[in-house]
């Protein structure tokens, strides 16, 4: 009877360490040749080792490529795309933000800027793409909480460009989005934001976060005030 080895073949960090760096590198190169997401992730990790400037550049290259693409994404490829987006978001939040939070916020805003184009290109009957961006909202507003003036202006500009999307993401931010940041964003927006329904809705969401009841009430139209849901909301306030 063959003698059983005491070395476990169960996958674990400790077990893989026994393979050695050279063998692991060979396996990753081999697997990456047929897995575009893995190859991009490895590039991101190498860029992170080189420093935040290199990492920001590597992320920006991918965001630029995604923004420029026009090919339709089928439901079969949707999961791979969302995995790619999530990997880049995590690198922004987990690796870039601790080093350069202002730059990380600017890069994450560019990540969110992908949504309009992707929503047109991606077959997303289940709403998985929308959910991926909504899940990222707490990260965005967490970074905004500590952002300096210049970085926050980038976010103000983004809100001004796409009020409808950002109104939804504000609702998804949860406790990550506090009243002080909401007030800073409100102060950065001018009166032109009131000129469209989407802009007024955005301002109302911000006013709600900032605890500004007077502003919130001023943004409710007579038609909205007649709605049972809005009337109940007004009564609660």
């Amino acid at each position: 009877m063959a003698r059983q080895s005491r070395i476990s073949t169960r996958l674990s960090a400790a077990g893989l360490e026994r393979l050695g760096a050279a063998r692991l590198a060979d396996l990753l190169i081999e697997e990456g040749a047929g897995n575009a997401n893995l190859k991009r992730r490895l590039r991101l990790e190498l860029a992170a080792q080189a420093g935040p400037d290199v990492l920001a550049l590597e992320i920006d290259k991918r965001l630029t490529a995604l923004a420029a693409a026009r090919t339709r994404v089928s439901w079969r490829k949707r999961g791979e795309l969302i995995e790619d987006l999530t990997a880049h978001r995590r690198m922004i939040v987990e690796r870039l933000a601790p080093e350069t939070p202002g730059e990380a916020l600017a890069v994450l805003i560019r990540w969110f800027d992908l949504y309009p184009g992707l929503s047109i290109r991606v077959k997303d009957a289940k709403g998985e793409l929308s959910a991926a961006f909504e899940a990222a909202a707490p990260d965005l507003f967490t970074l905004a909480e500590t952002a300096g003036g210049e970085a926050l202006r980038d976010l103000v500009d983004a809100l001004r460009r796409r009020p409808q999307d950002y109104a939804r993401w504000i609702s998804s931010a949860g406790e990550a989005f506090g009243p002080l940041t909401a007030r800073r964003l409100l102060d950065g927006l001018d009166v032109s934001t009131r000129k469209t329904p989407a802009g007024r809705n955005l301002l109302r969401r911000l006013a709600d976060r900032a605890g500004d009841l007077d502003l919130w009430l001023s943004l409710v139209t007579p038609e909205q005030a007649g709605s049972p849901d809005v009337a109940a909301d007004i009564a609660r306030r």
Side-chain angles (χ1 to χ4, degrees), residues 200 204 217-226 230:
R200 289 192 295 273
R204 196 161 60 245
L217 289 171
S218 74
L219 293 162
V220 177
T221 66
E223 293 79 8
Q224 290 170 330
V230 175

Side-chain angles (χ1 to χ4, degrees), residues 71-109:
T71 306
R72 301 283 293 183
V73 179
S74 71
W75 64 268
R76 291 184 177 86
K77 293 292 186 179
R78 181 181 60 234
E80 293 178 20
L81 173 63
I82 292 174
E83 180 183 299
D84 182 23
L85 289 168
T86 301
H88 281 78
R89 173 175 63 84
R90 290 184 61 186
M91 291 299 289
I92 295 167
V93 173
E94 297 174 9
R95 305 294 290 278
L96 187 60
E99 300 292 332
T100 55
E103 176 67 12
L105 178 59
V107 175
L108 190 56
I109 290 168

Side-chain angles (χ1 to χ4, degrees), residues 107-133:
V107 175
L108 190 56
I109 290 168
R110 291 198 289 275
W111 185 92
F112 274 91
D113 282 344
L114 294 174
Y115 180 73
L118 291 177
S119 66
I120 295 171
R121 294 199 297 119
V122 178
K123 190 175 181 61
D124 189 35
K126 295 182 179 180
E128 293 175 357
L129 180 69
S130 298
F133 279 84

Side-chain angles (χ1 to χ4, degrees), residues 50-229:
D53 291 344
V54 179
L55 177 58
L57 180 61
E58 186 67 27
I59 294 170
D60 204 49
K61 282 165 54 179
R62 181 57 180 158
L63 300 186
T64 299
L66 287 169
R70 295 294 180 267
T71 306
R72 301 283 293 183
V73 179
S74 71
W75 64 268
R76 291 184 177 86
K77 293 292 186 179
R78 181 181 60 234
E80 293 178 20
L81 173 63
I82 292 174
E83 180 183 299
D84 182 23
L85 289 168
T86 301
H88 281 78
R89 173 175 63 84
R90 290 184 61 186
M91 291 299 289
I92 295 167
V93 173
E94 297 174 9
R95 305 294 290 278
L96 187 60
E99 300 292 332
T100 55
E103 176 67 12
L105 178 59
V107 175
L108 190 56
I109 290 168
R110 291 198 289 275
W111 185 92
F112 274 91
D113 282 344
L114 294 174
Y115 180 73
L118 291 177
S119 66
I120 295 171
R121 294 199 297 119
V122 178
K123 190 175 181 61
D124 189 35
K126 295 182 179 180
E128 293 175 357
L129 180 69
S130 298
F133 279 84
E134 289 169 9
D139 289 336
L140 177 69
F141 290 103
T142 295
L143 285 177
E145 287 287 309
T146 58
E150 183 176 350
L152 203 68
R153 280 193 292 275
D154 290 339
L155 184 54
V156 169
D157 289 341
L159 266 63
R160 189 180 292 116
R161 290 195 310 271
R162 299 197 350 260
Q164 184 171 343
D165 289 333
Y166 275 95
R168 185 171 70 255
W169 294 330
I170 286 169
S171 296
S172 302
E175 296 181 359
F177 189 20
L180 294 179
T181 300
R183 171 50 60 188
R184 292 172 70 196
L185 292 173
L186 279 169
D187 291 344
L189 293 166
D190 56 38
V191 294
S192 65
T193 311
R194 288 175 172 259
K195 293 181 178 179
T196 65
R200 289 192 295 273
N201 184 41
L202 171 68
L203 290 173
R204 196 161 60 245
R205 300 287 176 91
L206 288 171
D208 189 32
R209 292 280 176 164
D212 190 333
L213 179 59
D214 290 338
L215 177 58
W216 190 92
L217 289 171
S218 74
L219 293 162
V220 177
T221 66
E223 293 79 8
Q224 290 170 330
S227 162
D229 290 341

